[in-house]
Amino acid sequence: MDKNNTEVSPQARILIVDDDVSNLAALGRLLRPHYDVFAAPNGERALQIATGTPQPDLILLDVMMPGMDGYEVLNCLRDTPVTCDIPVIFVSGLDTAEDEEKGFEVGAVDYIAKPYRPAIILARVRTQLELKRARDGLANQNTYLESEIVRRIQEIQLVQMELLQSEKLAAIGQLTAGIVHEINTPVAYVSFNLGSLEASLRDIFELLDAYEHLEGVSAPNGAELEKIRKLKQLKEIDFLRDDIGELLTQSRQGLARVAKIVSDLKSFSRTGGSDWLWTNLHNELDSTLNIVGNEIKYHCTVHKDYGEIPEVYCIPSQINQVLLNLLVNAAQAIPEKGDISIHTGQVEEEVFLAISDTGTGIPTDTLPRLFEPFFTTKPVGKGTGLGLSISYGIVQKHGGRIEVESALGKGTTFTVWLPIKPPGKTGENKLQTE
Ligand SMILES: Nc1ncnc2c1ncn2[C@@H]1O[C@H](COP(=O)(O)OP(=O)(O)O)[C@@H](O)[C@H]1O
Ligand SMILES: [Mg+2]
């Protein structure tokens, strides 16, 4: 047999084990031109070599040996993690069918009876080495693929988190004009009110000055008192008394409104990606409505029909994002004037939040595409097509689901179902929030 044909790899290492030195020498002569050959005259030495480095790729093992016999050696090899995968061929003088069977039973990959023909040894050795190389290759590839999968999953999780955050910021960005208006209005009248207060105070101080002047006069006469009465009338002091109270109340309300918007925005934009908390969803709905208020209130009437629901274990900032997407979609589906209704309730261990609009409705053929990333029917700048796909992911992560019902020209209802406590979540922190 020619050398190229026989060799699997120039580096392949073979351990031959035989107590008969002449047998070792004969096998050595046969294999050495093609492989790196190690020899062991007994089982103990064979185990030593097999567990050392470099490890053999294949072991040719005699069965009948004094001390440890071949079966025992093979058992030890199989019981040791570092050697359990090394293929072993028995080369034995025992040549009955039973011997062969036993050899395979204890885990040999092949069984060659002595006296052997050299070509048979070479061919079988080569086959086993090829098999081993293929097995090793597969194992390596598997390890590589597994690590690659872990790496890709981590990459995807990272992208998802970034997407989640950037979609949320984009949503707030889209709402910014409205939010700015919401804040500007109370700020404008608070500053106008301050202007009025200033003028009123100037009048009041003028009157006070007149009274002070009177204090200096020992006996004020009728003409002086009359002057003050006129001044009081001129400055409309009675009116100012009421007006100032009203200005202050109004301004206090305006500032409270600004503070509320700022705090809603703050809670909405918080990252808190992994904060699972027992949450009152009606509060979340209200603060989200407060943020989308301006997008909605001029052309939609919002009807709240809140049922009895328990606190739900969820990531509130993410649920807010879902509610925001559904509310903005509902508002954008209403071309002129319409209604948005929010209905909540509990069915068994689940809570539902249904957001209905009297908008355009969704054509049957686009229904299956709604949750696809980047699917949008809106012009550039108005829609990213990510709202529903992100919402879907968030709700799924909470162990819930989103249902859609739509009638073209009549309107649409999106219903978010959430388990009160997602399976697999411990629901700790309950005591802290109660
Ligand atoms: N309430 C709704 N009424 C009508 N169509 C809707 C409604 N909600 C979503 N859609 C449709 O689903 C598409 C995808 O929605 P979404 O993922 O939020 O992306 P975007 O709003 O940026 O387009 C929308 O472009 C719209 O065609
Ligand atoms: Mg949207």
Side-chain angles (χ1 to χ4, degrees), residues 325 328-329 332 378 387-388:
N325 286 332
V328 169
N329 279 348
Q332 289 178 340
K378 296 168 193 171
L388 284 180

Side-chain angles (χ1 to χ4, degrees), residues 167 174 325-326 328-334 355-357 359-363 366 369-379 382-391 404 406 411-414:
E167 160 68 16
Q174 279 176 14
N325 286 332
L326 296 182
V328 169
N329 279 348
Q332 289 178 340
I334 295 173
I355 296 176
S356 311
D357 63 68
T360 53
I362 302 168
T366 56
R369 303 199 54 197
L370 291 186
F371 297 96
E372 270 176 30
F374 303 110
F375 173 77
T376 180
T377 54
K378 296 168 193 171
K382 192 129 206 222
T384 57
L386 283 175
L388 284 180
S389 84
I390 285 177
S391 302
V404 194
S406 190
T412 307
T413 299
F414 280 84

Side-chain angles (χ1 to χ4, degrees), residues 281-297:
L281 291 177
H282 290 156
N283 288 349
E284 302 303 314
L285 264 169
D286 288 341
S287 78
T288 307
L289 269 171
N290 210 18
I291 290 174
V292 289
N294 210 63
E295 183 91 5
I296 289 183
K297 73 179 175 202

Side-chain angles (χ1 to χ4, degrees), residues 251-321:
S251 302
R252 207 175 297 119
Q253 283 168 352
L255 287 177
R257 171 111 192 95
V258 171
K260 176 89 177 82
I261 293 169
V262 169
S263 107
D264 285 341
L265 265 180
K266 233 166 47 191
S267 80
F268 192 84
S269 61
R270 73 187 162 211
T271 36
S274 54
D275 290 349
W276 285 85
L277 299 170
W278 286 100
T279 307
N280 176 335
L281 291 177
H282 290 156
N283 288 349
E284 302 303 314
L285 264 169
D286 288 341
S287 78
T288 307
L289 269 171
N290 210 18
I291 290 174
V292 289
N294 210 63
E295 183 91 5
I296 289 183
K297 73 179 175 202
Y298 297 110
H299 73 302
C300 309
T301 313
V302 176
H303 308 272
K304 289 194 216 171
D305 174 16
Y306 290 177
E308 284 273 315
I309 56 170
E311 286 194 334
V312 166
Y313 197 59
C314 65
I315 304 175
S317 69
Q318 295 195 356
I319 296 300
N320 277 345
Q321 198 173 351

Side-chain angles (χ1 to χ4, degrees), residues 52 61 98 102 128 146 152 154 224 251 274 316 320 330 373 387 424:
L61 184 57
E98 290 82 51
K102 179 161 182 207
Q128 289 307 331
E146 271 164 24
R152 292 278 170 90
Q154 283 168 345
E224 271 158 338
S251 302
S274 54
N320 277 345

